[in-house]
Amino acid sequence: MINDSNFKRDKEIIYLVTTSVGYDVEKSIGISWHCKNAGSYLMYKKESELSFSQVFPAEINWCIEESYINSDYQYKRYVCNVNLDNLDCGTQYVYKIVSGSTESDVYSFKTSSKNDLKYSFMSFCDFQYSENETTINLVKRFIDENPMVNLITCCGDIADEGYLEKAHRYIFDKKLFSNKTLAFGCGDHEYWGSSVSPIKMLQQPYTYNILFNNPKNGCEGYLNSSYYFKFNKVLFIFLNCGDSNVSASNFMFTKQAIWLDNVLSNEKDYEFIIISMHKSLYGDVKQDSAVKKIAPVFIKVFDQYKVDLVISGHDHEYSRTKPLKNNEVNDNGTIYLDLGSSGDKRRNTGDSIICSSLYDKYIDIKENNYSLGLIGTIENNVLSLEVRNQHYDIVDQVKINLKNR
């Protein structure tokens, strides 16, 4: 096992506490935590109330069943999930976890409200090498500048190797997200059991699935790593691209495309559709040529339902397309935004982007030494996007008007 003097897991009782979105963030939230002992429970209340309510979780005794020499996720622990439903909209809640005589820190979240005339979210991608301060400082700066923004999304690659608990602990133990609601996606590195050649792959994104208690309304076979939710008048949909370079098959994508078509044909109460998927359908093909088999499957569904925005990462390059439909510029089409990197792994912009007329903007984040995040704001039927670097300078911005569906 990993010997790290700063990683004293055995001396801790409650850890890896996360607050995830429910199906409707106005009234539902999912909470997850890990506990050394059985029988822990959650206490929660409105911030304005005096007394806590007690909720017992769904609890499983878990470790990675597959064998990886350095995996600290092979330590048995109790993974606990609670779903809070019928919450009041636009309300601040607080909660803590109790195990015997031990209590966790106090965490908080605020439900959304469709009565808000203006509301925002933050997006990041590819923390990946999160055992340095690049990601920590970037996220902290965004949160400090936007203290009232409660929803944080990420389109995958939280850690470089999914089997390393230490990498996840590094970012979550910083308490950056202790009063935020998370909607994190599943990247290819969530499937990585080792980066040593030949790459070892986990059969499932086990550690991702035990970190987040996402809505269980996703594609069968990919529950929790594919899901959707309503945030005020925005419909967010998260797709799981697996690792198409190594093991993911066309079946994985066609099955999710059928599910996606069903979701979009049944959900009606929204103004904007935002897709979060790790791999960039209009990214640099030299970085991941296997994306060619993903793009045709999903793009036709995006075109049919006039998806507004697709946020991706993976390539560690920043680019934003013009509105596209059927692979051509169309004012009523979809914008594909490759957010680049919210960590310190960066690549130069590829020729397939520089030489294409389909793009409105690209930034060489390696040349500029940029780490990036995004602030999305909805007001007066307009979705405004601001992409900012680690210094909080605006490096790109665009407005998306409400479509006639």
Side-chain angles (χ1 to χ4, degrees):
M1 298 298 177
I2 289 176
N3 182 15
D4 188 332
S5 60
N6 294 319
F7 182 58
K8 300 176 180 178
R9 198 206 66 80
D10 282 341
K11 293 185 177 180
E12 295 175 292
I13 305 298
I14 303 161
Y15 55 103
L16 284 173
V17 181
T18 59
T19 308
S20 300
V21 294
Y23 161 67
D24 186 344
V25 186
E26 276 203 343
K27 56 187 177 183
S28 58
I29 292 291
I31 297 170
S32 178
W33 69 91
H34 294 202
C35 191
K36 186 175 181 181
N37 304 319
S40 62
Y41 56 90
L42 179 140
M43 304 287 287
Y44 83 102
K45 67 181 183 71
K46 295 178 185 177
E47 191 175 52
S48 59
E49 293 177 332
L50 296 177
S51 301
F52 284 88
S53 297
Q54 184 182 46
V55 181
F56 286 92
E59 182 182 73
I60 59 170
N61 193 212
W62 178 90
C63 71
I64 285 184
E65 296 178 357
E66 298 177 42
S67 178
Y68 294 97
I69 295 173
N70 292 322
S71 176
D72 24 61
Y73 278 114
Q74 288 177 342
Y75 287 108
K76 279 276 189 178
R77 82 285 307 282
Y78 292 89
V79 177
C80 305
N81 289 321
V82 163
N83 295 306
L84 299 178
D85 300 309
N86 300 315
L87 300 170
D88 291 345
C89 69
T91 302
Q92 189 80 26
Y93 287 83
V94 297
Y95 72 88
K96 58 185 176 180
I97 315 299
V98 180
S99 175
S101 60
T102 302
E103 289 188 356
S104 72
D105 293 338
V106 176
Y107 294 79
S108 67
F109 62 86
K110 185 177 182 181
T111 54
S112 63
S113 173
K114 289 188 176 68
N115 294 324
D116 292 339
L117 300 178
K118 179 180 179 180
Y119 52 98
S120 301
F121 63 92
M122 301 181 210
S123 289
F124 301 98
C125 72
D126 295 78
F127 297 151
Q128 199 154 348
Y129 292 108
S130 55
E131 289 184 66
N132 59 58
E133 293 302 303
T134 303
T135 290
I136 303 299
N137 291 337
L138 177 75
V139 175
K140 187 177 186 303
R141 181 64 184 270
F142 269 68
I143 291 176
D144 288 346
E145 296 283 351
N146 303 276
M148 303 305 292
V149 176
N150 298 296
L151 175 63
I152 297 180
T153 78
C154 175
C155 56
D157 279 7
I158 302 156
D160 192 44
E161 295 170 308
Y163 77 104
L164 285 175
E165 181 174 15
K166 184 175 71 170
H168 295 122
R169 292 292 303 273
Y170 185 86
I171 189 167
F172 286 104
D173 283 357
K174 298 291 184 180
K175 309 298 182 187
L176 291 175
F177 309 123
S178 59
N179 64 344
K180 302 297 179 185
T181 302
L182 307 181
F184 278 26
C186 182
D188 54 311
H189 282 259
E190 270 65 71
Y191 281 86
W192 282 34
S194 172
S195 61
V196 178
S197 183
I199 296 172
K200 295 179 182 178
M201 302 295 292
L202 300 170
Q203 295 178 11
Q204 296 287 335
Y206 298 116
T207 58
Y208 170 89
N209 284 332
I210 55 91
L211 282 170
F212 304 106
N213 182 16
N214 299 323
K216 304 303 184 290
N217 54 13
C219 178
E220 183 180 355
Y222 308 98
L223 292 180
N224 201 68
S225 60
S226 65
Y227 61 98
Y228 68 98
F229 66 95
K230 293 181 178 180
F231 174 64
N232 292 13
K233 297 181 180 179
V234 179
L235 181 64
F236 280 91
I237 303 175
F238 280 66
L239 301 173
N240 181 347
C241 297
D243 192 336
S244 53
N245 266 330
V246 179
S247 61
S249 66
N250 278 351
F251 175 75
M252 179 182 192
F253 312 127
T254 54
K255 190 172 183 181
Q256 286 183 82
I258 294 170
W259 163 78
L260 176 64
D261 179 88
N262 185 61
V263 169
L264 291 173
S265 65
N266 284 286
E267 291 290 339
K268 304 297 182 184
D269 185 21
Y270 57 81
E271 293 181 350
F272 294 96
I273 306 171
I274 298 178
I275 304 289
S276 179
M277 58 189 305
H278 181 64
K279 298 209 169 182
S280 302
L281 303 188
Y282 286 91
D284 184 5
V285 294
K286 289 183 179 179
Q287 300 299 342
D288 190 347
S289 60
V291 80
K292 292 178 181 178
K293 65 184 179 184
I294 307 177
V297 178
F298 288 120
I299 287 175
K300 62 182 180 182
V301 184
F302 298 165
D303 288 349
Q304 178 182 350
Y305 291 98
K306 302 179 181 178
V307 167
D308 296 284
L309 175 67
V310 178
I311 304 175
S312 301
H314 182 62
D315 294 333
H316 301 269
E317 304 174 358
Y318 181 83
S319 63
R320 172 173 56 83
T321 70
K322 299 173 182 177
L324 302 178
K325 183 176 182 180
N326 195 26
N327 205 37
E328 296 178 350
V329 178
N330 186 305
D331 289 341
N332 210 29
T334 301
I335 291 176
Y336 295 83
L337 190 150
D338 185 342
L339 192 49
S341 173
S342 300
D344 66 350
K345 182 179 178 182
R346 310 175 182 105
R347 298 189 179 105
N348 296 118
T349 305
D351 289 341
S352 62
I353 293 173
I354 295 173
C355 299
S356 174
S357 62
L358 298 181
Y359 296 86
D360 249 347
K361 182 80 172 182
Y362 60 83
I363 301 169
D364 195 321
I365 62 171
K366 186 173 183 179
E367 182 72 22
N368 287 282
N369 196 33
Y370 282 169
S371 297
L372 301 176
L374 179 150
I375 299 292
T377 301
I378 298 88
E379 184 179 21
N380 296 328
N381 297 328
V382 176
L383 169 58
S384 301
L385 306 177
E386 291 182 354
V387 179
R388 294 177 177 266
N389 62 18
Q390 67 268 37
H391 311 296
Y392 209 67
D393 301 323
I394 294 179
V395 298
D396 189 21
Q397 54 188 333
V398 65
K399 295 183 183 295
I400 302 174
N401 294 317
L402 192 65
K403 288 184 171 66
N404 181 4
R405 292 187 173 89

